[in-house]
Amino acid sequence: MVMSFQFPAYFIAIFIITRVMSIMKISKPLDVHHKDIRAVDLATKLSVDPSAIESASRDFGGIVKAEPEAVLHPSAPQDIAALIKFSYSNSVPFGIAAKGHGHSVRGQAMAENGVVVDMRSMANKRRNGTGIRVSIDRLYADVGGEQLWIDVLNATLEYGLAPVSWTDYLYLTVGGTLSNAGISGQTFRYGPQISNVLEMDVITGKADFLTCSPKMNSELFYAVLGGLGQFGIITRARIPLQRAPQRVKWVRLLYDDFSSFTKDQELLISKNGRKDNSALDFLEGSLLMDQGSPDNWRSSFFPHKDHPKIISLITKHGVIYCLEIVKHYDDRTKHTVDKEMKQVLQGLNYMPGFTFGKDVGYEEFLNRVRSGELKLKSQGLWDVPHPWLNLFIPKSQISDFNNGVFRGIVLERNITTGPVLVYPMNRQKWDARMSAVIPDEEIFYTVGFLHSSGFDTWEAFEDQNKDIMRFCNKTGIMVKQYLPHYSTKEEWVHHFGSKWKVFQFRKYQFDPRMLLSPGQRIFNNN
Ligand code: FAD
């Protein structure tokens, strides 16, 4: 059969295939003349352009650098399946990493000497429209794995609907957050984003293109959710929707006492029924430390006139704690929401005189981190190293963590720049069959040190992160990393704990040649 390619495209394809194959030291030639039109098609979407390689070697963390041999710009899931099939059936397979928006901080979406799949290139190339299809009758959205959550929000809001579980920042991809968990202030009530998926299309490490759900290919479904990209590439997820609220009442309360702060947080998350209208819609918390301003890049919330009194409080105590809560409302509830919020605040032990409130649109609230991002970008401060550390700590040990880490290591080192988040969630909202790893206790806290550093100062933050992990190990705090990164197999086995055997078994089942997401360094560390 004669191929239907234009002459130049054909030669470019052959050139790229040959080049990639030779760079990857793949010996078996492809039969591009006859059968493998898909392979030639694939080759036209593979780039070895230095700027594409450079971009695929970096991530938001700015710490790890790993060069792939090529970058695939797929226009359809079939392109990804063809690439995986090519590697899977080759005598010398190469690693393949889906890259969402590259917001990992430790090279998790990189593939050294392999191929990075730039998922975002599918966003505008999909046939049948945008990659986000909303079913208003059945209250779900079918969303491409490459889509950003901000686009999911905008597309669903057009119908007055929205997903229920979010991340703080919306310029993350659906496939990227579902590979981790996707947590924010809604998690205590609705569970993480991985608890809010009805079904997915996934291309496994054997190039099988499968639909999975709790009823269909359920092992793959649970493996992929929180699976760190190890079992397959998510090309579609079906996300349940609810009627979207119009506006939110957004309140921050300050505490000088950690025990009152956590007691109030735990009290507030104890009301967590999905349908319980008296439950809060969002709860987070953070530390305020001596950084010049009580605001940080992620949010400017406190009225300017109140900055001096907050700063003097911080100076007095070293660290103070900020509880952040939200109640949604719309036309039907606008007359009662203030009363309800007042009732919520009654009986809480925050510092009198340190309550701050805002009333903003729902979308503005969900997209609250964006303005900080744009400001940093305009100052050239977005693309700096981010030596982040994200942890889950059991409730019973959060007070020890406060004493040893917040009031110990962090105050002593006095280098923390960037937000430090601390808020609880309920284990019952997570599904133990999923790959995500959380502590054993019913309530556990997430703690996020979201550092920004200079290009030559990130190691000081890394030292602090190591100190924190050492402290936890020494004092027996049963910490689990969120967005985990380890370099040895032993550490990964310890991280997964009782889930390791299942995780490993699933890897053999769905990606036996260990092709996928090698940047996580779980199965391919030496
Ligand atoms: P990438 O970093 O590109 O990929 C992450 C991992 O998933 C990689 O291993 C990759 O190979 C794999 N992957 C990517 N796409 C797919 C796919 N389609 N199928 C299978 N595997 C895939 N997280 C939270 O939970 N809550 C937050 O509030 C939050 N806020 C953040 C704020 C900022 C500013 C940043 C930078 C990150 C934040 N994160 C948060 C972390 C975020 O969830 C992770 O960085 C995650 O990796 C998503 O980023 P991404 O879409 O760019 O994925």
Side-chain angles (χ1 to χ4, degrees), residues 197-440:
V197 182
L198 302 173
E199 68 175 40
M200 290 179 287
D201 289 339
V202 173
I203 306 167
T204 69
K206 296 197 277 193
D208 294 329
F209 193 2
L210 300 170
T211 298
C212 59
S213 72
K215 296 228 168 89
M216 197 194 312
N217 297 311
S218 60
E219 188 71 19
L220 180 63
F221 181 77
Y222 294 119
V224 164
L225 293 168
L228 307 176
Q230 294 306 300
F231 310 107
I233 296 188
I234 304 163
T235 58
R236 178 186 63 97
R238 179 166 288 179
I239 311 292
L241 304 175
Q242 271 188 9
R243 192 189 150 105
Q246 288 161 346
R247 298 190 64 80
V248 312
K249 294 282 178 187
W250 184 6
V251 172
R252 287 191 181 176
L253 311 162
L254 299 189
Y255 293 75
D256 58 359
D257 174 44
F258 188 71
S259 156
S260 306
F261 168 68
T262 50
K263 244 189 221 151
D264 282 356
Q265 286 193 321
E266 288 161 24
L267 174 74
L268 292 170
I269 69 158
S270 65
K271 236 181 206 180
N272 55 49
R274 277 181 171 244
K275 299 219 159 107
D276 181 352
N277 290 335
S278 65
L280 286 170
D281 294 300
F282 175 98
L283 180 143
E284 285 198 358
S286 56
L287 305 191
L288 296 186
M289 284 174 294
D290 191 10
Q291 293 171 352
S293 164
D295 287 326
N296 58 55
W297 69 265
R298 272 167 85 103
S299 73
S300 49
F301 189 94
F302 300 106
H304 223 262
K305 69 173 177 40
D306 292 317
H307 281 202
K309 77 171 183 179
I310 300 174
I311 290 170
S312 73
L313 199 65
I314 298 171
T315 311
K316 184 170 163 204
H317 295 280
V319 181
I320 58 171
Y321 310 96
C322 174
L323 173 58
E324 181 167 15
I325 54 179
V326 160
K327 260 199 104 55
H328 297 161
Y329 72 96
D330 55 24
D331 284 341
R332 291 173 309 168
T333 50
K334 69 180 175 198
H335 301 296
T336 51
V337 65
D338 283 326
K339 197 169 146 212
E340 280 173 31
M341 190 55 113
K342 215 167 155 194
Q343 275 167 2
V344 169
L345 300 190
Q346 268 168 16
L348 300 184
N349 283 310
Y350 54 91
M351 298 176 74
F354 288 93
T355 338
F356 307 89
K358 272 191 179 186
D359 183 326
V360 300
Y362 178 59
E363 187 180 355
E364 181 185 342
F365 169 69
L366 285 183
N367 201 15
R368 62 199 174 280
V369 177
R370 177 64 166 173
S371 56
E373 175 195 354
L374 293 176
K375 197 161 147 203
L376 287 186
K377 276 188 170 154
S378 72
Q379 298 165 342
L381 294 174
W382 184 252
D383 292 323
V384 297
H386 295 100
W388 286 10
L389 180 66
N390 285 278
L391 305 172
F392 291 144
I393 317 275
K395 170 191 150 172
S396 65
Q397 294 176 309
I398 194 67
S399 165
D400 298 340
F401 190 87
N402 174 56
N403 293 330
V405 176
F406 297 150
R407 305 206 72 87
I409 295 168
V410 169
L411 277 188
E412 274 156 30
R413 285 190 169 248
N414 196 24
I415 55 162
T416 294
T417 58
V420 181
L421 305 181
V422 47
Y423 59 92
M425 38 192 101
N426 300 303
R427 189 184 161 83
Q428 43 147 324
K429 303 281 177 178
W430 297 61
D431 189 322
R433 291 167 292 184
M434 295 175 184
S435 295
V437 172
I438 55 176
D440 282 336

Side-chain angles (χ1 to χ4, degrees), residues 180-192:
N180 286 294
I183 57 168
S184 183
Q186 298 88 2
T187 307
F188 79 92
R189 184 165 172 200
Y190 294 101

Side-chain angles (χ1 to χ4, degrees), residues 43-244:
T44 63
K45 289 163 187 169
L46 276 168
S47 172
V48 290
D49 181 78
S51 67
I53 299 286
E54 163 64 13
S55 158
S57 329
R58 283 186 281 112
D59 65 16
F60 182 76
I63 293 168
V64 175
K65 199 166 190 312
E67 282 198 2
E69 295 297 356
V71 178
L72 179 74
H73 297 286
S75 47
Q78 288 75 7
D79 296 333
I80 302 171
L83 179 76
I84 296 179
K85 193 170 184 185
F86 178 39
S87 181
Y88 180 70
S89 52
N90 212 289
S91 55
V92 188
F94 51 87
I96 295 171
K99 177 177 175 176
H101 222 201
H103 277 104
S104 293
V105 293
R106 306 283 169 168
Q108 287 98 330
M110 295 180 194
E112 190 159 28
N113 302 326
V115 176
V116 167
V117 180
D118 175 8
M119 296 298 289
R120 292 289 299 142
S121 60
M122 283 216 295
N124 300 320
K125 291 184 190 157
R126 278 191 184 255
R127 283 178 215 140
N128 310 326
T130 66
I132 304 173
R133 270 171 290 132
V134 179
S135 167
I136 34 178
D137 302 333
R138 301 171 76 179
L139 291 179
Y140 63 67
D142 275 323
V143 175
E146 75 287 353
Q147 296 293 321
L148 297 179
W149 283 103
I150 181 69
D151 296 324
V152 177
L153 176 64
N154 288 329
T156 53
L157 280 182
E158 278 184 30
Y159 302 93
L161 301 170
V164 292
S165 184
W166 295 95
T167 47
D168 291 348
Y169 172 66
L170 303 185
Y171 290 74
L172 305 168
T173 64
V174 169
T177 70
L178 295 186
S179 298
N180 286 294
I183 57 168
S184 183
Q186 298 88 2
T187 307
F188 79 92
R189 184 165 172 200
Y190 294 101
Q193 291 180 322
I194 51 172
S195 295
N196 292 279
V197 182
L198 302 173
E199 68 175 40
M200 290 179 287
D201 289 339
V202 173
I203 306 167
T204 69
K206 296 197 277 193
D208 294 329
F209 193 2
L210 300 170
T211 298
C212 59
S213 72
K215 296 228 168 89
M216 197 194 312
N217 297 311
S218 60
E219 188 71 19
L220 180 63
F221 181 77
Y222 294 119
V224 164
L225 293 168
L228 307 176
Q230 294 306 300
F231 310 107
I233 296 188
I234 304 163
T235 58
R236 178 186 63 97
R238 179 166 288 179
I239 311 292
L241 304 175
Q242 271 188 9
R243 192 189 150 105

